[in-house]
Structure formats: structure tokens, C-alpha cells
Amino acid sequence: MLADLFPASFWPLALAHGLALLSPGPDFMLIVSHSARHRFTGGLGICFGIAFGNACYIVLAIAGWAGMHGNSSLQGILEAAGAFYLAWLGYRLLKSAALPAPVPTGMVPRVPLWRQFGMGLGSAILNPKNMVFYLTIMTVLVENSALLRQRIAAGVWMVSVVLVWDLCLALVVTNPHSQRILWRKIPWIERICGAFLLATAISILWTA
């Protein structure tokens, strides 16, 4: 059944995709920093926004736009936009305020779901590595004569893995035991994440 649903060439790519999720990147830092302060409901929309951003690139690739990552002008615009967006997020996290005392769950400042979703979507869409990674994977599947339904199944698999991983990450950061350990360190966590995002933005611009 799986052999019919997924092409054989997909499994090495799925393994590479899973390993890539384990390495901290802008999405990882955004979820950790936001969920630490705003709890699970404050990171939920970010997780869905990131998954949707990944899905957009997969849909473009399935639709036949896999060659777009070879467009130097488009990639340059995306890299510049992504670098400035990550720099803006990093700057905001570096300005994080200290928490005087543990905040009860019911008193945690609420972040509108649409704003969370937009932050996650921006992080995923404006990360040039996502474009190259997903469009390259789908190009390999096309070159290996994968059927349309197999490419769609591969895309659904990857988006689902991203969403589940991000939700699990948010849950780990926001469970009561983690919160008791982290609440005094939340500003430092945010500043470390902010510095990482700024460094990533500088790296993108330098490479470009």
C-alpha cells in the first residue's frame, strides 16, 4: 500500500526532511520564544502558519514551478525580504521585558490568532532555504517519474510532519513543569532567539 502511495525515491528525501526539522532554525526559535512567554495558545497559530508556508512551496512545485529556485532575481528578492523580516523579529525579541513573577495561565497576554499565523507564515515563506529545499525535493520526485497522487501524498506527509513536530515543540515548552523552570529565563531565551535570528539575517544577506 505504501509502495503505491509513495514512490521509493521519496523515503531518503523524507529522512533528510526529518533530520532538517531537528536542527534549530528560524521557525524553531520563533516557536520556542513565543510559546515560552505566551503559552501554547500563543504559539498555536505560529505552528499552523509555518505549516501553511511550507505547503505553499510544495503546491507550487507540484503545479510545475519547481524551476523557480533557479530564478536568481526571484531568489534574491526572497532572500532580502527574508533577511529583513528575520532581523525585525530578532530585534523585537532582543527588546523583551523581564517577568516579575510567574503569570497564571488565565492572565497570560493573548496574541490574536491571525497575528500568530502571520508570523509563522512569514517565517516559512521568507526563508529562502525552504524554497530551495522543497522545490528541490519535488523536482527529484518528478525526475523519478512519480505520479501526481504520489507527489501530493509526499507533500501532505511533509506538511503533516512539520505541523506535528512544531505542535509537540510548543507543548514541551509550555507544559507546567517546563514553565516552572523557564519563567525566570524567558527574557534570556527570547534574547538568545533574537540574536540567532539577527545572525541568520546577516548570514543570508552576506551570502546573497
Side-chain angles (χ1 to χ4, degrees), residues 18 49 59 82 162 169 182 192 203:
V59 169
V162 168
L169 178 61
L182 294 176
I192 290 171
S203 174

Side-chain angles (χ1 to χ4, degrees), residues 88-173:
W88 175 74
L89 288 177
Y91 173 73
R92 290 190 61 184
L93 290 173
L94 285 173
K95 291 177 61 182
S96 61
L99 298 177
V103 181
T105 301
M107 297 177 62
V108 175
R110 293 186 176 274
V111 180
L113 192 62
W114 64 266
R115 185 177 296 172
Q116 297 177 41
F117 185 86
M119 291 173 65
L121 177 61
S123 178
I125 287 288
L126 295 175
N127 186 347
K129 292 183 179 179
N130 283 343
M131 180 181 74
V132 174
F133 184 79
Y134 285 110
L135 297 185
T136 300
I137 281 181
M138 301 312 291
T139 300
V140 170
L141 293 180
V142 171
E143 290 175 349
N144 282 277
S145 302
L147 301 174
L148 177 60
R149 60 180 173 80
Q150 291 177 322
R151 279 176 268 160
I152 293 174
V156 171
W157 170 280
M158 288 186 286
V159 172
S160 300
V161 169
V162 168
L163 180 59
V164 170
W165 167 253
D166 289 347
L167 289 173
C168 288
L169 178 61
L171 280 172
V172 168
V173 172

Side-chain angles (χ1 to χ4, degrees), residues 11-206:
W11 296 111
L13 299 175
L15 177 60
H17 178 246
L19 292 175
L21 286 178
L22 297 177
S23 59
D27 296 345
F28 180 97
M29 295 297 178
L30 184 60
I31 292 170
V32 169
S33 60
H34 215 71
S35 298
R37 181 179 289 266
H38 299 286
R39 311 290 170 84
F40 183 70
T41 55
L44 185 63
I46 291 177
C47 296
F48 279 92
I50 290 170
F52 185 78
N54 285 283
C56 288
Y57 281 128
I58 291 172
V59 169
L60 287 175
I62 292 175
W65 288 30
M68 67 185 294
H69 71 273
N71 186 322
S72 58
S73 298
L74 177 61
Q75 189 163 338
I77 293 171
L78 182 66
E79 287 175 345
F84 284 114
Y85 181 71
L86 293 178
W88 175 74
L89 288 177
Y91 173 73
R92 290 190 61 184
L93 290 173
L94 285 173
K95 291 177 61 182
S96 61
L99 298 177
V103 181
T105 301
M107 297 177 62
V108 175
R110 293 186 176 274
V111 180
L113 192 62
W114 64 266
R115 185 177 296 172
Q116 297 177 41
F117 185 86
M119 291 173 65
L121 177 61
S123 178
I125 287 288
L126 295 175
N127 186 347
K129 292 183 179 179
N130 283 343
M131 180 181 74
V132 174
F133 184 79
Y134 285 110
L135 297 185
T136 300
I137 281 181
M138 301 312 291
T139 300
V140 170
L141 293 180
V142 171
E143 290 175 349
N144 282 277
S145 302
L147 301 174
L148 177 60
R149 60 180 173 80
Q150 291 177 322
R151 279 176 268 160
I152 293 174
V156 171
W157 170 280
M158 288 186 286
V159 172
S160 300
V161 169
V162 168
L163 180 59
V164 170
W165 167 253
D166 289 347
L167 289 173
C168 288
L169 178 61
L171 280 172
V172 168
V173 172
T174 58
N175 76 71
H177 178 68
S178 297
Q179 284 290 306
R180 284 193 295 271
I181 296 173
L182 294 176
W183 75 268
R184 287 185 181 275
K185 302 178 178 66
I186 286 175
W188 286 106
I189 292 172
E190 291 178 324
R191 288 164 190 161
I192 290 171
C193 292
F196 177 90
L197 294 177
L198 278 173
T200 302
I202 293 170
S203 174
I204 291 172
L205 289 175
W206 182 266

